[in-house]
Amino acid sequence: TMSTMHVLSLLTMQGVFASRMAHVAAFRAPTSALMRHSSRVHARMMCDAPEAPPPFASLDVRVGKIVEVWDHPDSDKLFCEKIDVGEAEPREIASGLRAHYALDDLKDRSVLVVCNLKPAKLAGFASSGMVFCASSEDKSKVEFIDPPPDARPGDRVLTESEAAAAAAAEEGDAADLAPASPNQMKKKKILEKMSPALKTNADRVATYGGEPLVVAGAPCTASSVAGGSIS
């Protein structure tokens, strides 16, 4: 049989071990809770971080030429246009510009057209795109963004850096400048996310995020609106 001293010694050792294990558990509990809290904070910060704006190349913006225009029969705000954007047939597009232009001002005019929007009915007219215009801060002045004089229907509009990447791609370097699909444009609200960064600068040059929009290296401009929004 064990001696009384031996028994007391074993009980003391068990007590010390139990005490140490309780101490370790007490240490681990707050540490684990802290780690969980840290993970939640990190996840929240990731969700709260501002989303980077889409690249301008998400839009399929092309030079267009208005080949036919007429007043919308059921709306005193809309023009109906046929615009050559380098495709087999001109696109039909409606623009709410009758308060800012006369009908004759639009005939044979070159414009910038957003071509990868889903078709929409405007006062019953099926519109397959949108024409870029600059607006003054109080919206009293609205005018077309004009492509460079030498631009041709179908020429693509990009930022300066995207145009440089496209030129490099022609020389063999890869460049992913494919525009979003019309479904992606609508589902992800790409144009809405880009709108705050679309402006004319002090020199009336159309910009995205402060970077000029160009066709073959030449800038696109507004006639008179400086520091205006583009839509």
Side-chain angles (χ1 to χ4, degrees), residues 91-113:
R91 289 193 180 212
E92 293 194 346
I93 294 175
S95 304
L97 295 170
R98 282 172 67 175
H100 304 280
Y101 285 97
L103 189 69
D104 288 342
D105 293 332
L106 273 67
K107 291 178 179 177
D108 297 321
R109 187 177 190 122
S110 291
V111 293
L112 302 188
V113 181

Side-chain angles (χ1 to χ4, degrees), residues 186 198 225:
K186 183 175 182 179
L198 285 165
V225 174

Side-chain angles (χ1 to χ4, degrees), residues 30-194:
T31 301
S32 181
L34 181 63
M35 290 176 65
R36 288 196 298 271
H37 175 71
S38 177
S39 296
R40 286 196 297 270
V41 169
H42 180 69
R44 194 179 306 121
M45 288 176 65
M46 292 293 288
C47 291
D48 294 343
E51 184 179 354
F56 183 79
S58 300
L59 301 182
D60 182 8
V61 180
R62 297 183 227 158
V63 175
K65 183 176 181 180
I66 301 175
V67 295
E68 188 177 345
V69 57
W70 63 98
D71 293 335
H72 192 296
D74 300 320
S75 171
D76 59 4
K77 296 180 180 180
L78 294 173
F79 287 122
C80 301
E81 307 122 11
K82 287 188 177 183
I83 305 180
D84 177 7
V85 291
E87 297 172 336
E89 297 291 336
R91 289 193 180 212
E92 293 194 346
I93 294 175
S95 304
L97 295 170
R98 282 172 67 175
H100 304 280
Y101 285 97
L103 189 69
D104 288 342
D105 293 332
L106 273 67
K107 291 178 179 177
D108 297 321
R109 187 177 190 122
S110 291
V111 293
L112 302 188
V113 181
V114 183
C115 294
N116 59 332
L117 301 177
K118 293 198 80 169
K121 287 284 185 76
L122 298 180
F125 181 82
S127 182
S128 299
M130 183 182 83
V131 177
F132 261 165
C133 290
S135 304
S136 59
E137 189 173 355
D138 62 1
K139 307 299 182 186
S140 63
K141 183 76 172 177
V142 178
E143 60 191 26
F144 290 113
I145 298 293
D146 298 319
D150 293 336
R152 298 168 299 178
D155 285 349
R156 193 163 178 205
V157 182
L158 297 168
T159 62
E160 279 186 334
S161 60
E162 289 170 341
E170 291 177 0
E171 296 174 3
D173 295 332
D176 184 11
L177 300 173
S181 68
N183 283 336
Q184 289 172 327
M185 290 290 295
K186 183 175 182 179
K187 184 177 180 180
K188 298 182 179 181
K189 298 183 177 180
I190 291 174
L191 185 57
E192 291 86 342
K193 292 175 181 177
M194 297 175 70

